[in-house]
Amino acid sequence: MNQGLMLKLENLIQLHCAYRQLHSLSYRKIHRTQWKPLQSSTYPMRPVQLHPQLWQTDTFISVVLSQYRLLATKEGKRPGKQKLPPIKPKIERQEVEIQQRMTVEDLARAMDKDIDHVYEALLLTGVDLDSLEPDSILEEVWIKEVVKKSGMKYKWAKLKQEKVRENKDAARRPPADTALLTPRPPVVTILGHVDHGKTTLLDSLRKTQVAAMEAGGITQHIGAFLVHLPSGEKVTFLDTPGHAAFSAMRARGTHVTDIVILVVAAEDGVMKQTIESIQHAKNAKVPIILAINKCDKPEADPERVKKELLAHDVVCEVYGGDVQAVHMSALKGENLMALAEATVALAEVLELKADSTGLVEGTIIESRTDQGRGPVTTAIIQRGTLRKGCILVAGKSWAKVRLMFDENGKTVDEATPSMPVEIVGWKEVPSAGAEILEVESEQRAREVFAWRNYAEQQEKIKQDMEVIEAKQKEHKDAYRKERESLANLTWRQRKAALYKTNKHLIAMRSKERAESDRNVLPVIVKGDVDGSTEAILNILDSYNADDECELDVIHFGVGDVSENDINLAETFKGVIYGFGVNANKSIQQLAAKKGIKIKLHNIIYHLIEDLKDELSSKLSPSVVEHIIGEASVLATFCVTIGKSKVPVAGCRVQKGQLDRKMKFKLIRNRDVIWKGFLTSLKYHKDACPDNKNWHGLWPQFG
């Protein structure tokens, strides 16, 4: 049917409705019989019941239209109506990219949440939240658990292929052609036990008074000197410390040396540092010349020294070995020339040569900070010729050589192989023992510097990961063990057991617990040269009583005590130890104002003793009981004092004496059942009539 027919039908229905309304009005007055509408043959309709109220036009139209739709469905063909499913709102779940070894901070950033959200998600899991820090690495299972509890989905992040960084490090040159090699002076290291005369021997060789300038009469740094012998030969001597703290310095001295002169006192014989020096020489595969010193003393016994050395594989020529032995007295200058000739002869046998052309190679013997010249290093040149303006790299520092000095402080223009020289121009203080290499330009030096810093960071990351993995494994094993012990319990019993175990941790905040449990002595170490600082740190590394008092080195460096050291010590409440350095008046006043201790020493074993005393002062006092008297209780009873009854014991003194001012313990069957002070102590001579030899004491317990 078309639209026009529809309009006609609606008009007809409206007209019919008007007719019905008029008919209903007349129905009230005349007839009360039921009226049945006529049904059209074309448009069949249902019979309608008349009601007293008026018919609603809209209702009637809807009924008729429904009949019309029914008719149209039966007579005409209508396209089928598709039934659509109900539309439900779709909630998109956020996807989070996860990866292995994510920290708490990384996971929070990936989820676009704060760190506390991650902590809350891990609250009812087996993770130890007290030990969890923002940079702590989470296991894969806990990462997924946090994402799920947050109503999110996880997906693995694509692995990024990092570019392999090109190695920009500097390296030594290949061995030089033998035609380019020229003779060089030998480098001789003097080793031996402390106070056996090493520095005095060198002092006599070069006619100086080095020993008189050493604090405490002992050498505490490596001294490098070029000595001109009367025969015209040149020999570079290295004087190393003999004290036990400077083992690393002695090892460094043998690393760059050609010959070792082992000094042994004739009256003392082989000592601890003597054996250590022999071991250093053997590790470096360096020949030894034995100098038996102090032979002028009445108690000297050189033959005993040679026999003692046989036990350490040092065989002198007298016993069929190849070690030259010289009997001498460094203090009186006896047989010095014989020792010098033995050194020169051995150097000739070794045929020592070096390449004095090309890029410079060398080794740093010692480094320090000079107040006027900045970082200064003492080095031995091993290859090439060092001149002003050369670009050097050593460790993680580099330099453009500005000035060079010899051992007497005189300026030199160049340094050839085997020559000791002080170099000025370093950007930072390099470590003693570092290898010196010359590079072509400052740009190349910066590349080497950047690469070495990068390599050190990668190595540190690798070590940190190993520590983290070990810690995670330890925590995982502890957690598994704890869960196994609770496996047979119900969940209520398990919760109660966990609460009882961790009750003391819940009661205390983490910061308060850390402050109360740890007994720490923070220290700052400042040394005059890098080698001294290294020696002190090596001694501190041997400290193994962290369970009683932890020794924490918060900073170390080379140079005088500065304001930054004071501020750092104030932050950590530490103590500053200085070796061979100074603290000016303003620094001392600032330290006194802030209550910071500055302890300066020139002798290393004095510094160590002072540090021991400081550690001892941090220890909690130990309670020691001294028993001054013992008594046995024979009878107990109560006495009435006022309105209260007080327990009293009748005792017999067995040993010593009892003093009311002292503390008492009451022991029964080896168990202490009471401890405290007495209210009164009375002596009764006739306390027990049955035993005339017994004297009674009546302690009244408080």
Side-chain angles (χ1 to χ4, degrees), residues 252-263:
R252 189 159 60 247
T254 56
H255 176 68
V256 297
T257 193
D258 302 312
I259 301 171
V260 167
I261 295 181
L262 182 64
V263 180

Side-chain angles (χ1 to χ4, degrees), residues 515-530:
E515 290 179 355
S516 62
D517 291 347
R518 295 180 63 197
N519 186 16
V520 186
L521 175 62
V523 297
I524 296 174
V525 178
K526 298 299 290 287
D528 54 348
V529 296
D530 187 74

Side-chain angles (χ1 to χ4, degrees), residues 96-112:
V96 180
E97 287 190 351
I98 64 173
Q99 56 187 355
Q100 294 284 350
R101 304 188 179 283
M102 290 185 76
T103 63
V104 175
E105 190 174 3
D106 294 338
L107 182 57
R109 191 183 300 111
M111 296 171 58
D112 197 17

Side-chain angles (χ1 to χ4, degrees), residues 496-517:
L498 290 174
Y499 174 78
K500 186 176 181 180
T501 304
N502 301 324
K503 184 170 62 175
H504 66 288
L505 299 177
I506 299 172
M508 299 175 63
R509 285 182 286 179
S510 58
K511 184 178 179 182
E512 294 175 351
R513 185 169 65 254
E515 290 179 355
S516 62
D517 291 347

Side-chain angles (χ1 to χ4, degrees), residues 171-175 355 357-363 380-386 392 416-418 435-438:
R172 285 180 175 267
R173 293 181 289 157
D355 178 17
T357 62
L359 298 178
V360 173
E361 298 175 4
T363 301
I380 296 289
I381 305 303
Q382 296 169 313
R383 189 174 180 183
T385 301
L386 182 63
L392 306 177
T416 54
S418 298
E435 181 183 58
I436 294 177
L437 297 174
E438 183 183 359

Side-chain angles (χ1 to χ4, degrees), residues 194-215:
V194 63
D195 199 28
H196 276 201
K198 300 182 301 297
T199 306
T200 306
L201 169 60
L202 187 59
D203 177 42
S204 300
L205 286 172
R206 67 177 195 143
K207 306 293 184 184
T208 57
Q209 294 296 324
V210 177
M213 295 184 291
E214 294 289 352

Side-chain angles (χ1 to χ4, degrees), residues 305 402 486 658:
V305 173
R402 293 191 289 112
L486 303 174
L658 303 185

